[in-house]
Amino acid sequence: MIKNRDTRLTIWLLIPVVLVLVAYVLYPSLRTFFESLQKDGSISFGNYQDFFVQESKTNLEALWNSVYISILSVLASALIGIPLAIIFNRYDFPGRSFFSTAAILPIVLPSLVGVMAFMFLYGESGLIPNAIKDLFGLDKVPFKIGGVSGILIVHAYTMYVYFYMTVSAAINKIDPSLEEAAFNLGANKFKVFWKVTFPLLTPAIVAASLLVFMISMASFSAPFLLAGGYRVLSLQIYFSKINGDMEIAATQSVILSIVSISFLLFMRWYQNRKDYRMASKGIGAHRSEVKNPLMKWVMVVTGIIGVLILLLPHFTILLLSLVPDGTWTFQTYPTVFNVENYRLLFEDPNIFKPLRNSLLMAVIATLANLVFGVIASYVLVKRKFIGKSFIDILVMIPWALPATVIGMNLIFAFNEPSVFSFGQILVGTFWILPLAYFVRHIPLVVRSTNAVLEQLDDSIEEAARNLGAKWFYTFRKVILPIIMPGVLSGTLLAFIESVGEFPTSVLLYTISNRPISIEIMNQLRMFNMGQAAAYGMIQITLIVIVLFISNKFFGIKAEKAL
Amino acid sequence: MASIKIENVQKAFGKTIAIDHLNLEIKDGEFFTFLGPSGCGKTTTLRMIAGFYYPTKGVVRFGDKDMTRVPPEKRNTGMVFQNYALFPHMTVFENVAFGLRVRKVSSSDLKGKVLDALRKVRLEKYSDRQVSQLSGGQQQRVALARALVIEPEILLLDEPLSNLDAKLRDEMRAEILRLQRDYKITTIYVTHDQAEALSMSDRIAVFNFGVCHQVGTPAEIYNQPANDFVASFIGEINLLSVQVKNVQQENIVVTLENGEEPVKLIVHNHTNEGELIQQNEKNLAVSIRPEAIRILDTVEKGTNILKGKIESVQFFGSVVNVMVDVHNVLLRVDVLNTHEFGYFYQGKEVYVQLPEKQLRLIPVISGDAP
Ligand SMILES: Nc1ncnc2c1ncn2[C@@H]1O[C@H](COP(=O)(O)OP(=O)(O)OP(=O)(O)O)[C@@H](O)[C@H]1O
Ligand SMILES: [Mg+2]
C-alpha cells in the first residue's frame, strides 16, 4: 500500500534507477554468464571444464600470469608508495610540499598514452637505453623493457599513487600523542615506528593492496602494448573475441569477474570491520624538520630527480608530438621539431574526427552519468526502502568488473534486439560506446555524489519543506546547489576518463565512429608516433584543465576526486 | 495562530515504540515545553507536529483541522532546528527570504518583511553575510528570523540553545521569549534543561520512555509532581517509601520502615490522595523538597520531628546543603546561608522537621525507586 507522498516519491525516483541498473548492469552480466554455459548448442559447464583442464593450459596460464603480475605490482607499488608517503608526511625539507603534490603526477597520464610513453622511453629503441648506449659507447642497449618487466614498471609507475594517497591520509590521522606516549615510555625511534606507527598504518596498506591487486588484474592497456607473447586473462578475452570464440570469451569473462568481485567483497568486509582508528580532536600533521644539512640536500636532490623521472613520460609525449611523421625513421633521435601534428589535428577533418567523436561520446555518457548519479545517489543516501543493499551492490558492480568484461557483457546483451535497447541491435551502432562509457563510470559518479550527500544534514531538506517548499523545489533550490561542486568534480573525472577510454572502446568501436584511443592505437601501428602523441597531449591538457577547475572552483584536491 | 490537539497518538519505529498513548492540548498563543531525558520521544512528537513523521496511530489537529497526514510544506509551522539547518549556499537575507519566495511574495513586500524580521532579531546589519561567517548565536537568530518571517501558526523549537555557551544561552532565552510575546505565537519548545523549562514556559509536559507523565504549569510540576519520576527529574527531592496506616479527613498517617522500629509520619491530605492510595496500595512514597525541611537544635513541639545526625555539609554559596541521617535514611536539606560559620558540622546531632503540608504522597512508578 502506498502510504503517503514521500513513499510515492521514493518509488518514482527508484523506478528509473532500478530500470537502468537492471538493463545495463545486471542483464548484460547475466547474458555473459548464460553465454558461458552454452557449449555446442546445449547448456553445460563444459566451457569451465575446458578452461581448467584444457591440454594446452593457455587459459590457466593466463589466469596464473594475471595473478602473478598483480602480486608483483602490489609489491612494487607498495615499495615506492609507502616510503614516499612516510617521508613526505613526516619530514620537512625545502620543496617538500611541491614534491608531495608532484607525487600524484602519474594520474595526469591516460593509461594508453602512459604505456606509449614508456615504450618510447625505455623500450628497444627507447630514448633512455639508447642515450646510455651512446654516452658510454656500448655496442648494444644496456636494458630495455618489454613483457613482464614492462607491464610491471608501468603498473608500479601508475599504481604506487594509490599506496601513496591512502597511506598519507592514514599518517595524518594518527594522533601524535600516541607516538609521544611511546617515546615517553622509553621506546626508541625504531621501536616506535615498528610497534606503534606501522601497526596503525596496516589497515590503509591492506586497503591499498587490495585495490592495486584488483586494478592490475583488470589492466588492459599495458599488456596490450607491452605483453608480447605473454598471456594475461584480460587480454585473452580480447583475443577470444577477435577470433570469434564467443563462448570462451564469456567463460574467461566470468572467471575474471569472479576473481574481481571476490576481491571487492573482501575489501568491503575488511573496511567495515571495526578497526582501531581513533577520532581524537585537533590532530595536525607533525613533521620533524631535517636538520643535518647533508641529509637535507640529499633529500632535495633525490626529490628533484624523482620528480624528473615522474615527469619524463609527460615530456616524452610532448616531445614526440612535436616530431612530424616521416621525419624520424632510422635515426636514433628525432631531428625535426614543429607543430605540424597539431596543425593537422585541427585542419585535417580525418584526423580531427576521432577527437570530435570522443568528445561527443564522452559528453553524452557523462551527462547521463550526471543525471543518473544524482538521482541514484539521492535515493540511496536520503531515502529508506527495502532492497537498498541490493541496489548498492548493483551500483558498485561496474567498478569491480574489469573494463574488458563490461565490454563483453554489452556485446552479449546488445548484439541482438532486446527490450532494453528498444528492440534495436546496439552493437555496431554509435550508441554502444557512450553506453559503455556510461556504465563504466556509474560507480565513480554515484560514489562522489554519495560523499557530498552524506555530508548534507537531513535537517537542511526538512527546514526547506517546513518553510513550505515542495520536494522538487527543495531539490532544485537547496540540495542541488549545495552538492553540485562535489558532484561536478566526480563527473568531470568521468568525462576525462571517457575521452581516453581504451579497453571497452577496442571491443566495441565501429570504423565510422572511432574514438581517440583507437586512433592512437592505429597511428602507433603505422609508426606515426607524432600524431599519436599529439592526441595524447590533447588528453593530458584536458586532464590538467579539469583538475585545475576542480581544485580552483570546487576546492577539491585532485587526490580527493579519486 | 492555532491550538494543537494530539489525540491518542502512538509512533512506532519498527518494533520500538517511541511515543505511546499521547494526549495533549496546547492552547492558542501558549509557550509550551516538552521536557524529558534523552531518547524519551520529545523530538519524535515535535516532528509529528511538523509533519516529518506520521503517527502510527492517533490524530494531530491544529484548531479543529485534522493535520495527521498533511505534508510538512502545507502545515505553516516555523521550525528552528537544533543545528539551525541554515542553507549554507545562501546569504543571511536569502535564508530568511526562502519561505517568502516559496509563497511567491512580491519582491517589494519580500524585502521589507525580511529586513523587518532581521531587525526583530537584531541582525539587520548582517543581511549580506554568508551564514558560515556568523557566530553560533547569530546563526541561531537567523534560524529564528527565517521561521518567524513566514508568520507561521505554530513555532517549533528543538533544543535551540543546546549548542550555545551559558551566557549566550541566557541572552537567547530572553530573546525567544520576547519574540514569542511580540508575535503571540503558539510555541512548542523542546529541552532537557529543567531550569530552562521552569523559567520560560506557560506549561510543561514531562516525558519519559515515550510516555507523558504530567502536564502543568511550572509551579504545579515542581510543587505537585505526579509521580516519583517527575519529582526526581525536576529539582532535588527526598523520596521516602512508606506504608499507609490510616486515612483521615485532614491527615494521612504513614510509617517509614527503614530502621529497627517504624517511624510514624503525618502527611497532609491534599485532594486526591484517597484515590491514589486505592490505586497504588504498595508503591507509595512521600516526597519533600530539600528546602522545605527545617533543621532544629532541640526538640520543639510539633509533628514530624525526627532525631538525626549530620553526615556531610556542602557549601554552595547562597545555599548550604546538609545531609542528615535520620533512622538510616539520608535526607537532603537545603538551608539558606546565614553567614554564620561552623554552625553545621559533620557528626552534629540535630532534629529535623518535615512540615506536614510540604509532604506529598506520590506513586512510585520506576522499578528501582527508593
Ligand atoms: N527515525 C527513527 N528510527 C528509529 N528509531 C527512532 C527514530 N527516531 C527516534 N527513534 C527512537 O525513538 C526514541 C525517541 O527518540 P527522540 O529523538 O524523540 O528522543 P528525544 O526525546 O528527542 O531525545 P534527545 O533529547 O536525545 O534529543 C529513541 O529511543 C530513538 O532511538
Ligand atoms: Mg531530540
Side-chain angles (χ1 to χ4, degrees), chain A residues 467, chain B residues 78-80 84 86 92-100 113-124 134 137-152 155 157 172 175-176 179 183 185:
Chain A
L467 293 169
Chain B
M79 181 148 172
V80 176
Y84 316 143
L86 297 181
V92 169
F93 185 94
E94 284 304 319
N95 261 283
V96 178
F98 186 90
L100 296 176
K113 284 189 177 187
V114 171
L115 291 180
D116 197 44
L118 285 176
R119 198 168 308 124
K120 282 230 163 71
V121 296
R122 306 194 178 110
L123 280 177
E124 63 271 43
L134 298 178
Q138 289 167 334
Q139 289 187 2
Q140 209 244 340
R141 283 184 284 175
V142 177
L144 256 176
R146 186 177 70 175
L148 288 171
V149 78
I150 59 170
E151 291 163 22
L155 184 63
L157 304 141
M172 289 311 302
E175 193 122 333
I176 289 173
L179 288 166
Y183 283 86
I185 190 170

Side-chain angles (χ1 to χ4, degrees), chain B residues 42-44 82 158-159 190:
Chain B
K42 308 178 295 279
T43 301
T44 306
Q82 184 165 4
D158 191 356
E159 305 201 29
V190 170

Side-chain angles (χ1 to χ4, degrees), chain A residues 227-298:
Chain A
Y230 196 73
R231 291 195 180 87
V232 296
L233 200 49
S234 55
L235 209 53
Q236 285 306 105
I237 297 175
Y238 170 73
F239 289 138
S240 303
K241 188 251 167 186
I242 297 290
N243 294 334
D245 299 331
M246 297 309 267
E247 291 160 14
I248 297 181
T251 311
Q252 292 162 334
S253 299
V254 171
I255 287 175
L256 187 55
S257 311
I258 290 174
V259 176
S260 295
I261 290 183
S262 17
F263 264 83
L264 174 77
L265 294 179
F266 184 57
M267 197 152 112
R268 285 199 117 188
W269 169 81
Y270 186 82
Q271 284 177 340
N272 289 340
R273 224 180 30 132
K274 245 201 160 98
D275 59 28
Y276 35 70
R277 245 174 292 159
M278 277 155 289
S280 9
K281 282 182 196 159
I283 309 163
H286 68 144
R287 303 192 183 91
S288 37
E289 205 181 323
V290 179
K291 297 236 174 57
N292 181 337
L294 182 69
M295 263 313 275
K296 189 147 105 183
W297 290 112
V298 167

